[in-house]
Amino acid sequence: MKKWFSMAALLCVTAALLLSGCDNKKKVAADSTAPVQKLDKVNVGYLASPEHLLYFVAKEKGFFEEEGLDAELFLFTNSAEGLNATIANKLDVGSFGVSAPLAFTAKGADVVVIGGQNSGACALVCAPERYEELKDIHNYRGKKIASVRLSTADVIFRGALLDAGIDWRNGDATITEMESPAATMEALKKGSVDAALIWTPFVAMSEDMGVKVAMYITELFENNVCCRQAVMRSNLEQNPERWQRFMAALIKAYDFYQNHHEETVAITAKYVKVDPKYLAKETYAADATMICSPDPLKKSVNRYWNIMKDTGFINTEIDINDHIDTSAYVAALERLTRENPDNANYAQLAREFPVNN
């Protein structure tokens, strides 16, 4: 039976618990003969995107090690590759575009979402002179749009077109499928399409590339879900406590990313070979829509699942809630909040959890 934790515990930290925690820390520090803890090996899959900065920060700042984890990061070129590695048990966990774990789940894979990585960070771009026309979703009837099939932006935009009464399946609009956001951007610049769907870091680069953001995906799906922490159920059930520590490392990374902007950009630049000015813009600019958070966003995952069904990407009667387990995240957040009751970022995550999940 799954263990669920009350978020009310975050507001009820007792003095006794605090004192006990301090005493234990002092005892360990004083005991120089204490055995060195063996770190649990965790193979983690990632994509070269600023959206995955929680991994980068947790690795570079030692948060994985603080939580008793020896995390090795493995780069993948796309989400499908990463999910295949996860299902084959070559990876313990990976953060990939939300379409991938949900599509694999619909096909019968016992994948479980245990946390989040990011939301936002996607946009539809057009030529500057077309902005007034194409900033309105209702004006896409008869238009040509370049997209990457099953990317987060692709699924959400197709769903938004249907909601606007534009059925691209019947030819009301033409969606040209391409292999990457770089390719969709090139198609737009050549004039072969009216608009192109892209994501970070291309969103930050778009203005310098001579195009304009017509709309952000967050305008079509507020608090949209993107890359999720995905594990196999067997891996999760084998050692639930390990995944609590894994999520704790990401929560610590979230706190660091909120407080240390320049260093976070510098860390991200080690993994994402893009001009740091674009990484900074995508991550911290006032108009940036990318939000990196370990929150599972269960409600948004449900909405996205339904969009995938409505648009015909999946056909299943599976209840996606059976493949979302927030308990590791909740346990990690409760523990860190007990240990750090004055941490404003932990408190913010605690307030957001019941709203998002």
Side-chain angles (χ1 to χ4, degrees):
M1 182 176 179
K2 295 178 181 176
K3 183 177 181 182
W4 298 91
F5 297 82
S6 169
M7 294 307 292
L10 298 175
L11 303 176
C12 302
V13 181
T14 65
L17 281 172
L18 293 175
L19 291 173
S20 174
C22 294
D23 288 343
N24 288 337
K25 290 178 182 177
K26 291 178 181 178
K27 183 177 181 180
V28 172
D31 187 1
S32 60
T33 63
V36 177
Q37 180 186 10
K38 182 180 179 180
L39 301 179
D40 289 342
K41 181 73 174 178
V42 181
N43 292 330
V44 183
Y46 77 96
L47 305 175
S49 168
E51 296 167 293
H52 291 210
L53 65 81
L54 295 182
Y55 282 169
F56 311 148
V57 171
K59 178 70 173 178
E60 297 294 325
K61 297 306 296 182
F63 298 140
F64 284 129
E65 289 190 9
E66 285 182 7
E67 292 297 327
L69 302 173
D70 175 14
E72 186 171 359
L73 305 187
F74 293 88
L75 174 63
F76 288 84
T77 57
N78 60 62
S79 297
E81 284 183 359
L83 258 295
N84 277 318
T86 304
I87 291 171
N89 290 317
K90 294 179 180 179
L91 286 180
D92 296 301
V93 63
S95 176
F96 306 110
V98 65
S99 293
L102 299 194
F104 277 78
T105 296
K107 293 179 180 179
D110 207 3
V111 180
V112 181
V113 170
I114 64 169
Q117 180 77 275
N118 74 290
S119 61
C122 304
L124 190 70
V125 292
C126 65
E129 62 271 19
R130 303 286 302 278
Y131 169 74
E132 288 300 327
E133 174 191 11
L134 297 180
K135 68 180 181 179
D136 186 343
I137 188 71
H138 295 89
N139 292 335
Y140 280 80
R141 186 177 300 276
K143 301 300 190 293
K144 296 180 180 180
I145 305 98
S147 183
V148 178
R149 183 177 175 81
L150 270 177
S151 64
T152 301
D154 180 56
V155 173
I156 293 174
F157 183 70
R158 288 178 195 251
L161 285 178
L162 293 179
D163 289 342
I166 302 172
D167 194 339
W168 42 269
R169 298 168 299 188
N170 295 331
D172 290 350
T174 302
I175 298 178
T176 303
E177 296 176 357
M178 312 194 85
E179 69 276 10
S180 69
T184 68
M185 185 81 85
E186 187 63 25
L188 175 63
K189 293 174 69 176
K190 288 181 178 179
S192 58
V193 296
D194 299 292
L197 286 162
I198 59 172
W199 56 86
T200 178
F202 290 95
V203 177
M205 299 164 61
S206 60
E207 184 175 334
D208 288 348
M209 296 179 75
V211 301
K212 186 174 180 62
V213 172
M215 66 180 74
Y216 292 98
I217 288 300
T218 50
E219 297 174 47
L220 306 176
F221 186 156
E222 186 178 0
N223 203 26
N224 78 280
V225 64
C226 197
C227 298
R228 301 293 89 191
Q229 307 296 335
V231 304
M232 297 305 293
R233 189 182 305 277
S234 57
N235 199 342
L236 175 62
E237 293 179 347
Q238 184 178 10
N239 189 349
E241 190 270 342
R242 177 172 70 160
W243 297 108
Q244 294 173 19
R245 290 185 280 120
F246 180 81
M247 292 308 303
L250 298 187
I251 293 170
K252 291 178 179 180
Y254 170 83
D255 180 54
F256 186 91
Y257 135 77
Q258 290 290 321
N259 293 326
H260 303 277
H261 294 193
E262 289 186 8
E263 190 172 357
T264 295
V265 171
I267 289 171
T268 304
K270 294 182 180 181
Y271 295 85
V272 185
K273 303 308 179 183
V274 173
D275 190 324
K277 73 176 184 180
Y278 294 123
L279 299 179
K281 182 177 180 180
E282 200 75 89
T283 308
Y284 295 114
D287 60 350
T289 63
M290 185 182 79
I291 299 174
C292 292
S293 171
D295 190 313
L297 297 182
K298 185 176 181 178
K299 291 180 180 178
S300 290
V301 174
N302 269 268
R303 181 179 174 187
Y304 194 93
W305 175 260
N306 289 330
I307 294 174
M308 291 185 74
K309 293 172 70 173
D310 292 343
T311 51
F313 282 123
I314 59 176
N315 181 15
T316 179
E317 296 303 318
I318 291 173
D319 184 352
I320 192 57
N321 292 297
D322 293 336
H323 292 266
I324 307 171
D325 188 337
T326 64
S327 61
Y329 174 74
V330 172
L333 185 54
E334 288 188 339
R335 191 250 295 173
L336 291 177
T337 304
R338 287 196 303 271
E339 295 172 353
N340 306 273
D342 296 326
N343 186 299
N345 290 319
Y346 296 166
Q348 179 65 28
L349 289 177
R351 288 191 296 270
E352 291 173 351
F353 178 82
V355 176
N356 296 333
N357 297 274

